[in-house]
């Protein structure tokens, strides 16, 4: 299969993230096979793909949690891969991630979780941090919940608290890892509306990894489908809906693999072993 060529490059000043020929290995196995795409300033790009497609590896690489074997990741025009660790840490202050599980510290209150990035990375006094915490919680619909602990929150509230913490440093780039995963449709719709609110209120470049098609088509300016480590398509939601690419149609129409399902491929990737046949 020939990957879809990357979309035409926008003027450099409008690009928040530029990925060029990105290759990532796990051991001897190559997971990403030369990925190319841009995320423009203020744009919401959704990364789609099945289990084992490489979408989570791509997100981890962009966040600096995986070390590519080759290629470029330009964040605000600077090569995130080759810069020094000190420069990388400085640049990370302009980036934030909302993790799939929320990753809140269970022994800390919601307010303390949101305050943590400010306490670690700024010299703001305590009263100013308290004001900012209340502001961020209000932005995600959790006003008045600063003294609760994560165990007292519902799944959707934990996701919102995690987003508030990600917003604490007013990032220019925000990564979401499966923001609707594990939520019922009504709560998931609330998270989608929150992402749209952030998109319309702030000039944040957002990159969202998800497998929830309804959410993806609602929030995306542009969608990228990763298939077996390659970009199958990079286009607008309308372009994805109209695509005749067999792999795009298989994903959108929820058609199973003809021989081996994605879960077995994923297990083989992780273990390096071929699972026994099903009985």
């Amino acid at each position: 299969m020939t990957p879809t060529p990357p979309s035409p490059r926008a003027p450099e000043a409008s690009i928040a993230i530029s990925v060029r020929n990105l290759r990532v290995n796990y051991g001897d196995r190559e997971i990403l096979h030369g990925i190319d795409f841009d995320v423009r300033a203020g744009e919401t790009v959704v990364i789609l793909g099945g289990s084992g497609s490489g979408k989570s590896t791509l997100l981890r690489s962009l966040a600096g949690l995986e070390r590519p074997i080759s290629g470029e990741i330009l964040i605000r025009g600077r090569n995130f891969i080759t810069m020094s660790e000190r420069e990388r840490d400085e640049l990370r202050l302009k980036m934030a991630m909302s993790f799939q599980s929320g990753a809140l510290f269970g022994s800390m209150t919601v307010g303390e979780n949101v305050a943590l990035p400010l306490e670690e990375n700024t010299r703001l006094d305590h009263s100013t941090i308290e004001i900012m915490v209340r502001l961020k919680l209000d932005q995600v619909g959790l006003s008045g919940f600063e003294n609760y602990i994560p165990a007292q929150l519902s799944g959707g509230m934990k996701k919102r608290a995690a987003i508030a913490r990600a917003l604490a440093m007013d990032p220019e780039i925000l990564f979401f890892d499966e923001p609707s995963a594990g939520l019922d449709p009504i709560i998931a719709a609330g998270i989608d509306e929150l992402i749209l609110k952030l998109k319309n209120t702030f000039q944040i470049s957002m990159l969202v990894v998800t497998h929830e098609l309804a959410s993806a088509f609602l929030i995306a300016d542009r969608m990228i489908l990763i298939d077996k480590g390659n970009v199958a398509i990079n286009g607008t939601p309308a372009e994805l809906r109209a695509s005749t690419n067999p792999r795009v149609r298989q994903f959108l129409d929820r058609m199973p693999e003809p021989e081996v399902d994605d879960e077995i491929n994923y297990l083989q990737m992780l273990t390096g072993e071929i699972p026994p046949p099903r009985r």
Side-chain angles (χ1 to χ4, degrees):
M1 179 185 67
T2 302
T4 301
S7 56
R9 297 190 69 173
E12 291 295 333
S14 69
I15 296 178
I17 303 173
S18 183
V19 177
R20 290 291 174 265
N21 195 31
L22 187 69
R23 296 180 180 273
V24 179
N25 278 25
Y26 288 159
D28 295 330
R29 184 183 180 109
E30 187 172 89
I31 306 302
L32 299 179
H33 312 304
I35 299 292
D36 292 273
F37 68 91
D38 293 327
V39 178
R40 296 172 179 85
E43 184 180 36
T44 299
V45 174
V46 169
I47 304 294
L48 296 166
S51 298
S53 62
K55 64 184 187 298
S56 294
T57 298
L58 174 59
L59 185 67
R60 289 174 57 82
S61 299
L62 295 176
L65 302 177
E66 295 289 347
R67 183 78 174 180
I69 60 170
S70 65
E72 292 183 332
I73 300 175
L74 302 179
I75 308 290
R76 302 168 69 208
R78 302 167 62 193
N79 195 327
F80 194 58
I81 298 174
T82 60
M83 66 177 56
S84 69
E85 192 62 35
R86 181 184 61 79
E87 292 173 319
R88 195 175 293 116
D89 287 342
E90 289 176 356
L91 192 53
R92 282 195 181 105
L93 296 178
K94 299 296 183 181
M95 304 159 58
M97 179 180 286
S98 177
F99 294 92
Q100 178 177 341
S101 63
L104 298 171
F105 292 99
S107 61
M108 301 168 65
T109 67
V110 170
E112 289 169 343
N113 269 278
V114 177
L116 186 60
L118 296 167
E119 292 174 343
E120 292 290 325
N121 298 298
T122 74
R123 296 182 179 179
L124 296 173
D125 59 68
H126 184 68
S127 61
T128 301
I129 290 177
E130 284 187 337
I131 293 171
M132 294 186 69
V133 167
R134 288 196 295 270
L135 175 63
K136 299 306 177 184
L137 288 175
D138 182 62
Q139 288 174 348
V140 302
L142 287 181
S143 180
F145 283 88
E146 55 265 31
N147 293 320
Y148 284 63
I149 61 172
Q152 295 173 309
L153 303 182
S154 67
M157 294 169 74
K158 289 177 184 177
K159 296 270 190 178
R160 289 173 180 269
I163 294 171
R165 184 177 61 186
L167 292 172
M169 293 288 292
D170 294 323
E172 297 176 8
I173 297 171
L174 184 54
F175 300 122
F176 287 92
D177 184 14
E178 299 284 3
S180 302
L183 303 178
D184 68 57
I186 295 175
I187 301 301
I191 298 298
D192 293 341
E193 289 298 325
L194 174 58
I195 293 174
L196 286 173
K197 175 185 173 183
L198 297 177
K199 173 180 174 178
N200 295 329
T201 304
F202 306 105
Q203 284 299 308
I204 303 177
S205 301
M206 294 189 283
L207 194 144
V208 184
V209 166
T210 185
H211 66 276
E212 301 285 349
L213 291 179
S215 296
F217 279 103
L218 179 65
I219 67 176
D221 294 315
R222 196 155 43 85
M223 305 167 78
I224 299 172
L225 177 63
I226 305 295
D227 178 51
K228 298 179 181 178
N230 296 294
V231 174
I233 189 170
N234 178 351
T236 65
E239 288 171 335
L240 256 75
R241 289 189 188 278
S243 175
T244 59
N245 181 312
R247 296 299 286 180
V248 176
R249 295 265 41 103
Q250 181 183 25
F251 187 81
L252 295 185
D253 299 336
R254 301 181 65 186
M255 299 170 59
E257 293 282 0
E259 297 180 359
V260 182
D261 63 29
D262 284 338
E263 286 76 12
I264 292 179
N265 279 332
Y266 188 55
L267 179 61
Q268 185 176 348
M269 181 195 76
L270 291 178
T271 65
E273 299 177 355
I274 299 176
R278 292 179 173 175
R279 299 185 182 278

